[in-house]
Amino acid sequence: MTRTPPGSKLSRILFGILAYVSLTIGIIAIFIPGLPTTEFILLAAWAATRSSPRLSAWLENHRVFGPMLSNWRNGKMIARKAKISATVTMLICAVMMLVLLKHNWWIYFAVAGMVLVNLWIWSRPEPSRLSPAQPTSPSPSPSPNRHDTPGH
C-alpha cells in the first residue's frame, strides 16, 4: 500500500508536473553545458515528496541521483566531482557566450549569475570520502584478554 502525500488532489498534480518537468530538465542538463543538473534533481525530489511516493522512492534509490540527494539531505553537501563538473560546464558556457554572442547586458547578467552560482556551489561542504557503510571513526572493540570487570 502506497502512502498518499498530504494536500489536495490539485496540489499533488501540480507538484507532480513540477517533479517530472524538473527531472526531465535535469536529465537533459547532464548532456548540455550550462544547465545545472543538481538543482533540477533537487527540485524534482522535493516536488516528488509532495506528489508521488513512487517517483520519490525511485529518485532516492537511483544509482546516480540517490547519492546526490542523500548528500544534500545530510548536510547540504555537494560532491567535489559535481562541483568540478558544474564549474567546467559554466566556464565553457560563459566563454562561448562571450566569444560567439553580441555583448548585450543580458550576457553579462548571465555570466554574473554563473559566477554567483559557482561561488555558492563551492561554499557547500563536501561529503567525506568514506562510504556511508564505513564508520567515521574506529570504535574500540573489547579484547577477549582484557579484564575490565571489578575484582580482576
Side-chain angles (χ1 to χ4, degrees):
M1 181 173 153
T2 59
R3 181 179 82 64
T4 303
S8 69
K9 185 172 178 108
L10 177 61
S11 69
R12 287 192 305 273
I13 290 170
L14 293 175
F15 279 122
I17 291 169
L18 178 61
Y20 281 104
V21 168
S22 298
L23 178 60
T24 302
I25 294 171
I27 291 170
I28 291 169
I30 293 171
F31 306 102
I32 298 179
L35 278 177
T37 302
T38 303
E39 289 82 351
F40 284 107
I41 299 304
L42 292 173
L43 181 59
W46 175 80
T49 61
R50 286 153 180 76
S51 62
S52 170
R54 185 175 176 192
L55 176 60
S56 182
W58 181 81
L59 286 168
E60 297 292 330
N61 296 313
H62 192 272
R63 69 176 182 82
V64 174
F65 304 138
M68 181 189 315
L69 296 172
S70 177
N71 287 339
W72 186 254
R73 198 175 32 263
N74 296 319
K76 308 232 182 303
M77 298 181 285
I78 299 175
R80 167 92 30 123
K81 184 178 176 182
K83 289 178 178 184
I84 292 170
S85 175
T87 300
V88 168
T89 57
M90 282 190 259
L91 184 61
I92 291 169
C93 187
V95 168
M96 287 175 54
M97 288 170 54
L98 291 170
V99 170
L100 299 175
L101 301 175
K102 184 179 174 190
H103 291 208
N104 290 321
W105 66 269
W106 63 270
I107 295 285
Y108 298 114
F109 185 75
V111 170
M114 287 183 224
V115 168
L116 292 175
V117 168
N118 210 8
L119 289 172
W120 178 82
I121 287 172
W122 282 95
S123 75
R124 306 305 323 143
E126 295 176 7
S128 67
R129 294 184 188 261
L130 297 175
S131 69
Q134 293 176 314
T136 55
S137 63
S139 59
S141 59
S143 170
N145 297 333
R146 290 185 59 188
H147 299 287
D148 291 338
T149 57
H152 288 136

